[in-house]
Amino acid sequence: VHSTLANSPEDEYLYMESSSQLHDTIFSVLSTYEAQVFGMYLAEMPYSLIASRLGKDIKSIDNAIQRIKNKLKKLV
């Protein structure tokens, strides 16, 4: 767990850099649609709300989540 209380400014900078690199790596492998879905998924939105916001059906959201999970598994 990341805690800013015990970290030096250098540690904080390295944490932010590695987080930014991870974000960039993840989003570089996702399509625009998958990135939108993933962002909402990470915000813990229910599939039905994601579908409504993107004008898609729930099955499309579920399929996108499955593709995202498969792509992320390949990164690790």
Side-chain angles (χ1 to χ4, degrees):
V1 175
H2 178 67
S3 170
T4 58
L5 296 177
N7 292 337
S8 69
E10 294 83 7
D11 290 339
E12 189 67 22
Y13 174 78
L14 291 174
Y15 172 79
M16 294 303 290
E17 278 296 304
S18 63
S19 295
S20 177
Q21 288 173 351
L22 178 60
H23 176 275
D24 292 349
T25 301
I26 289 171
F27 281 88
S28 73
V29 300
L30 301 180
S31 70
T32 302
Y33 175 63
E34 290 166 345
Q36 290 174 317
V37 170
F38 190 53
M40 293 182 202
Y41 178 79
L42 290 177
E44 299 182 1
M45 287 185 183
Y47 284 22
S48 58
L49 182 55
I50 297 171
S52 173
R53 292 235 175 128
L54 296 178
K56 303 286 184 177
D57 62 23
I58 293 174
K59 184 63 179 166
S60 175
I61 302 305
D62 184 55
N63 289 342
I65 296 292
Q66 297 312 312
R67 287 193 308 275
I68 292 164
K69 287 179 180 180
N70 287 331
K71 287 180 179 184
L72 296 183
K73 283 179 189 175
K74 291 177 184 176
L75 289 178
V76 289

